[in-house]
Amino acid sequence: MYTDALARVLLGDSARLLEAVGEAGVNLVVTSPPYALGIDYGKAGYADDQPYAAYLDWVRTWATALLHVSAPGGRASSTSRSTRTKAANAR
């Protein structure tokens, strides 16, 4: 963690950090969540091979949490991959 008079920067698992920051106080979040590609994250405990619908539910959960902790005018940046292939396979 970095802190000075103007900023506090947290590094870690966003899902866990969101629980710690409280309501309406985050001005910027940059996150790169798992993409449901079947990657083994080891001890992180994420099910990265979940079905597309379950993945979208999970994204909705953390995206809603981001909104909850965002300050008025806050911003979020999240990387993602194309899910076209996975979506087509889910139909």
Side-chain angles (χ1 to χ4, degrees):
M1 179 167 80
Y2 169 83
T3 302
D4 68 17
L6 299 175
R8 180 173 68 155
V9 179
L10 305 173
L11 172 65
D13 183 331
S14 298
R16 291 174 178 90
L17 290 173
L18 289 173
E19 297 169 1
V21 298
E23 292 185 24
V26 177
N27 292 311
L28 175 65
V29 172
V30 178
T31 186
S32 179
Y35 305 128
L37 297 173
I39 296 171
D40 180 3
Y41 286 96
K43 295 180 182 180
Y46 292 108
D48 195 47
D49 59 350
Q50 57 189 313
Y52 184 67
Y55 174 74
L56 290 180
D57 286 341
W58 176 76
V59 168
R60 192 174 296 109
T61 298
W62 62 257
T64 301
L66 283 180
L67 182 60
H68 184 69
V69 300
S70 294
R75 303 285 192 262
S77 174
S78 177
T79 59
S80 64
R81 70 166 186 95
S82 172
T83 56
R84 281 187 184 188
T85 303
K86 199 152 199 165
N89 292 338
R91 292 182 190 151

